[in-house]
Amino acid sequence: MSIQLYNTLSGKKEPFEPLHSGKVRFYACGPTVYNLFHLGNARMFVVFDTIRRYLEYRGYQVDYVQNFTDVDDKIIQRASAEGIDVREVADRYIEEYFRDADALGVKRATVHPRVTESIPDIIRFIADLIAMGHAYVRGGNVYFDTSSFPDYGKLSHRSVEDMRAGFRIGVSEEKDDPSDFALWKAAKPGEESWSSPWGEGRPGWHIECSVMSSKYLGDEIDIHAGGQDLIFPHHENEIAQSEAHSGHQFVRFWLHNGPLNINGEKMSKSLGNFIMTRDLLNNRPARVIRFFLLSAHYRHPLNYTEDGVEQAVQSLERIDRCLRNLEFRREALLAGQDFSDRVESDGTRARQWADGVRTEFMRAMDDDFNTADAIAAIFEGVRLTNTDLEDPRIGVASTQAWLELLHELLSVLGLNEMDSRAQSVSPENIEEIIAQRVAARKKRDFAAADKLRQDLENQGVILEDTPQGTRWFRK
């Protein structure tokens, strides 16, 4: 099976083959670090993390770069409002980004470059564009000349004339054409700035990704990803300046995720339906949020509702219940419990069924990373597992085959990670608390027993009383 990707550049699905055999060069646009990130951002981070995971699952080495925009008007405004240094704002929100992204199971990038660490590279890149006739200087500002790049508009599939009609030139700008865009901005009083051949200033927004991508991945990369709102002008401008600079194609596959709506409406502060990821993480397990964000195909709009999140809770509980039953059956078998009417199977049927589920999962993910159908394949695995568990002949080999499959596929989607609250609780400590709870119940001290149960639940550990004894699992 080969992976098919929908390429925004061509407007169709294409077979994916990286430039270098076995290695994928992947750049994903990161956050502007002036605030916590919202749920729409979270969807982008989770989606492209999942795509990276799947490429690694398929055997590719993935060099994954995600930048931090740590110099920007919004960061400057935040610093001014709080009366602190711009660096303090950026450092704080980079740390907060990792806190929430880690909770959601988003793996750290191979490199997380910051704009402020790339200023000399940006200045050299801009100087090259000026020397090549693709950029010009006006009053300490440097602009890219879009007329020097005939393919301008090829990503958004819009003509320059159509785009030009929507541009306005600000009173402080001296551009030759409304479609030209800033590569370097002359410094304003009180703003953070750097020395350059054109005077004190700072980079424009678009130039940073071109420079950091080429610095860490080379002039031509396999995948560049971001939200659909970045297609124009950000990614369009990246193409223009990168290809004008290198003389060859910048990105082979452009991937863009769809928007996140709230109760059927576009998320916006003015509508009062703006959801910060941190707020949701404080009220819902991170794994539930990640499951919800992957429940629709990444290119389609995703509609957030409380009912939708509750469905994610129930879906994960169905999967987890299946895993708990498998683990409990396996442990009972290994402990030698008597199943006198059982003739142990060798696991052949389970492995065959599991192979079929894995094939369906891969078929879904190979089709432009269709996580919705991949999740459906996992639930087919759950259904078949439950069917197998009803067979009294099921043996250790069968339970092991199903456990390995389900953990394998959940891990690809980043759904196999444990709740961070439960990581600090060792199995030994859990068993000790369970023993204390059993002792309390024998003394009929139910208040103490309930408190012990609640203490564990607060740490992400759930107890389940069964005729065979108390078993536990992590949320």
Side-chain angles (χ1 to χ4, degrees):
M1 294 186 291
S2 64
I3 298 174
Q4 301 284 318
L5 301 187
Y6 182 88
N7 190 349
T8 305
L9 186 64
S10 65
K12 62 183 181 181
K13 291 180 185 178
E14 302 173 10
F16 175 70
E17 288 293 338
L19 286 162
H20 302 278
S21 179
K23 186 173 185 177
V24 177
R25 299 178 181 184
F26 192 154
Y27 187 96
C29 285
T32 299
V33 285
Y34 72 99
N35 201 348
L36 302 174
F37 63 82
H38 58 67
L39 196 58
N41 302 138
R43 186 188 191 194
M44 179 171 67
F45 302 146
V46 166
V47 159
F48 296 125
D49 170 74
T50 304
I51 290 174
R52 173 199 185 177
R53 286 170 178 267
Y54 185 68
L55 291 170
E56 291 174 338
Y57 174 73
R58 294 286 262 116
Y60 292 107
Q61 175 191 332
V62 182
D63 289 341
Y64 189 78
V65 176
Q66 183 194 50
N67 70 298
F68 287 120
T69 298
D70 63 343
V71 56
D72 179 85
D73 289 342
K74 292 177 180 178
I75 301 173
I76 293 169
Q77 291 166 8
R78 167 78 67 162
S80 176
E82 296 186 13
I84 60 176
D85 184 73
V86 170
R87 296 298 98 229
E88 289 183 59
V89 173
D91 290 346
R92 179 206 307 168
Y93 286 109
I94 287 174
E95 183 178 338
E96 297 293 354
Y97 164 83
F98 281 127
R99 176 181 167 186
D100 291 345
D102 288 349
L104 289 169
V106 175
K107 294 169 61 177
R108 301 286 177 104
T110 310
V111 184
H112 279 287
R114 297 170 62 155
V115 178
T116 54
E117 298 170 346
S118 308
I119 299 298
D121 304 289
I122 290 172
I123 290 173
R124 283 192 294 271
F125 197 106
I126 295 172
D128 288 345
L129 289 173
I130 293 172
M132 297 167 73
H134 291 293
Y136 56 91
V137 183
R138 291 287 186 277
N141 299 296
V142 182
Y143 298 101
F144 184 87
D145 178 6
T146 56
S147 68
S148 73
F149 185 70
D151 286 337
Y152 191 66
K154 67 179 180 179
L155 182 68
S156 55
H157 309 292
R158 301 161 71 183
S159 71
V160 176
E161 289 302 320
D162 289 341
M163 290 185 283
R164 185 177 288 124
F167 284 111
R168 289 191 311 166
I169 298 181
V171 294
S172 62
E173 295 181 305
E174 300 171 317
K175 298 191 290 187
D176 289 351
D177 188 275
S179 64
D180 295 346
F181 57 89
L183 301 173
W184 186 261
K185 297 181 177 181
K188 296 177 182 177
E191 286 187 355
E192 184 177 28
S193 63
W194 291 264
S195 297
S196 80
W198 321 289
E200 288 287 315
R202 59 186 173 89
W205 174 34
H206 313 297
I207 192 67
E208 63 184 69
C209 289
S210 287
V211 172
M212 289 187 281
S213 175
S214 65
K215 179 177 180 178
Y216 293 101
L217 298 173
D219 287 336
E220 188 172 3
I221 66 175
D222 298 296
I223 297 173
H224 195 316
Q228 288 177 359
D229 58 319
L230 297 180
I231 294 174
F232 184 85
H234 185 49
H235 289 165
E236 193 73 73
N237 292 349
E238 278 190 63
I239 289 176
Q241 62 204 10
S242 294
E243 296 188 2
H245 187 267
S246 70
H248 55 71
Q249 186 175 12
F250 171 37
V251 176
R252 297 183 66 241
F253 289 86
W254 286 92
L255 308 185
H256 293 95
N257 66 280
L260 181 118
N261 298 323
I262 308 296
N263 295 316
E265 295 184 303
K266 182 179 178 180
M267 184 171 65
S268 71
K269 291 180 180 177
S270 61
L271 292 174
N273 64 355
F274 207 74
I275 297 179
M276 303 305 289
T277 306
R278 175 71 57 81
D279 293 336
L280 200 54
L281 284 168
N282 286 335
N283 292 287
R284 294 284 191 174
R287 191 161 162 258
V288 168
I289 300 170
R290 184 174 178 112
F291 184 97
F292 172 75
L293 294 173
L294 294 175
S295 62
H297 190 287
Y298 79 93
R299 285 193 290 112
H300 299 165
L302 176 63
N303 187 40
Y304 174 90
T305 64
E306 280 299 316
D307 286 345
V309 175
E310 189 56 39
Q311 287 175 16
V313 171
Q314 295 171 11
S315 295
L316 280 172
E317 174 54 27
R318 181 181 167 197
I319 294 170
D320 291 345
R321 188 183 308 114
C322 177
L323 289 169
R324 293 197 300 272
N325 290 337
L326 278 169
E327 289 166 353
F328 198 64
R329 175 70 70 91
R330 182 184 64 177
E331 293 306 311
L333 291 167
L334 290 173
Q337 288 189 12
D338 181 32
F339 291 86
S340 57
D341 60 345
R342 177 180 52 78
V343 178
E344 183 173 324
S345 70
D346 62 2
T348 299
R349 184 180 74 171
R351 284 191 294 271
Q352 289 175 341
W353 282 0
D355 286 344
V357 171
R358 184 182 291 106
T359 297
E360 287 304 309
F361 177 90
M362 293 176 64
R363 182 176 288 115
M365 291 298 284
D366 283 348
D367 185 13
D368 194 31
F369 307 116
N370 191 334
T371 54
D373 285 356
I375 289 171
I378 290 175
F379 277 112
E380 175 63 8
V382 168
R383 185 187 71 80
L384 292 171
T385 297
N386 290 333
T387 298
D388 226 2
L389 283 170
E390 292 172 0
D391 188 337
R393 297 171 301 169
I394 185 173
V396 172
S398 295
T399 60
Q400 191 63 33
W402 285 122
L403 281 167
E404 289 176 358
L405 172 84
L406 293 175
H407 282 303
E408 172 189 324
L409 302 188
L410 289 168
S411 181
V412 174
L413 300 183
L415 295 170
N416 210 30
E417 281 73 11
M418 299 298 187
D419 190 303
S420 60
R421 294 172 303 168
Q423 293 302 308
S424 61
V425 192
S426 71
E428 293 77 15
N429 288 340
I430 294 170
E431 293 294 347
E432 182 180 343
I433 294 171
I434 289 174
Q436 294 173 9
R437 178 172 174 268
V438 169
R441 294 179 75 186
K442 285 182 178 178
K443 296 177 182 177
R444 304 188 66 79
D445 188 351
F446 297 114
D450 289 344
K451 183 178 185 304
L452 289 167
R453 174 194 282 271
Q454 188 61 52
D455 287 346
L456 281 177
E457 186 167 343
N458 291 341
Q459 297 176 82
V461 178
I462 301 299
L463 301 185
E464 186 173 283
D465 296 317
T466 76
Q468 292 78 32
T470 300
R471 56 180 177 177
W472 60 269
F473 57 95
R474 302 182 196 266
K475 282 185 180 179

